[in-house]
Amino acid sequence: MPGLFAALWLLGLFAAAPLLQTGSRNDFAGRLRDALILGIAIPFALGSLHALYPFTCWGALAICVALAQARRLSEPVRRVSSEPLPYLVLGSLVAVTFPQLMRPLLDGDSLSYHLPNAASWVHAHSLWTTETRYWWYPPASELFAAGLYTVGSPFAITWAGFGALALLGFRVAASARQFYAAPPIVADALGAATITVFPLAIQGATMQNDVWLAAFFVEGLVTLRTSPTAAPAMRTLAVTALIKPQGWLFALVALIAGRARRSVWLAALTALAIWIA
């Protein structure tokens, strides 16, 4: 049953993701990115208000899904893009994560500070706690895991790594097609090759967040280059700045390389400032 609740939570985030959609185009990778951002934002907001409970998480998600559907119904019908299905990326995700998802967390980083941080927020129903040694650690990926923990169980949190790895694979494949006109099979192979690189593949079903940083750094560069509005880049770079203590450095590199607008700089700096405060 806890696993079912976690699955419903992830599906709900994906259903609510269009709430953050801007412009006329949002590919699968973009929708997955927005789902991950919502999965961070909901526990962040509720935890900041001392209200991180299962019923508040479900309530917030239900509101987001309802608003997303209302927005969809109020907009003109969009043409569905005919992007080829990346079979190699999908197969690689299953191959590298299925064995890990079938066992508890075993790696030292997850057990020493990622899991304790997420668990302390869930147990306190709040972010305002210093129960763990690394309570100050930037919270983005741990907040996503805390949402899974709250609505499911500790055994559901490994799905947090799966979402980030999937985002990286799908975005690499989509970017290869979009920027370099790579044939679908070549783009698919590049995405699959990326997520099966050993340092990333071993994090596909853990709470380690190097793969989170890689996914959102790449996503930030892409959104800065392709999005007609600043909003996707603002959200993406704000999350990047809150992944790992060096996340703000990667956000800074993306901001400079992408010649980001002032609003994007402000979003990333504000997110970091809120956490520091």
Side-chain angles (χ1 to χ4, degrees), residues 169-227:
F170 285 119
R171 179 52 71 199
V172 168
S175 297
R177 293 193 305 270
Q178 181 179 2
F179 299 141
Y180 304 105
I185 186 62
V186 174
D188 193 4
L190 286 172
T194 301
I195 62 175
T196 53
V197 172
F198 182 73
L200 295 175
I202 61 172
Q203 297 187 23
T206 73
M207 292 186 69
Q208 298 179 72
N209 52 16
D210 300 288
V211 67
W212 274 84
L213 186 57
F216 273 85
F217 177 65
V218 171
E219 192 67 25
L221 291 173
V222 171
T223 54
L224 284 170
R225 182 174 177 179
T226 62
S227 178

Side-chain angles (χ1 to χ4, degrees), residues 43 52-58 118 121-122 125 145-153 157:
L52 187 59
Y53 295 92
F55 72 92
T56 56
C57 286
W58 287 116
W121 300 331
V122 174
H125 310 294
L148 284 167
Y149 192 149
T150 301
V151 302
S153 76
I157 56 180

Side-chain angles (χ1 to χ4, degrees), residues 107 201 234 277:
D107 64 284
M234 290 170 64

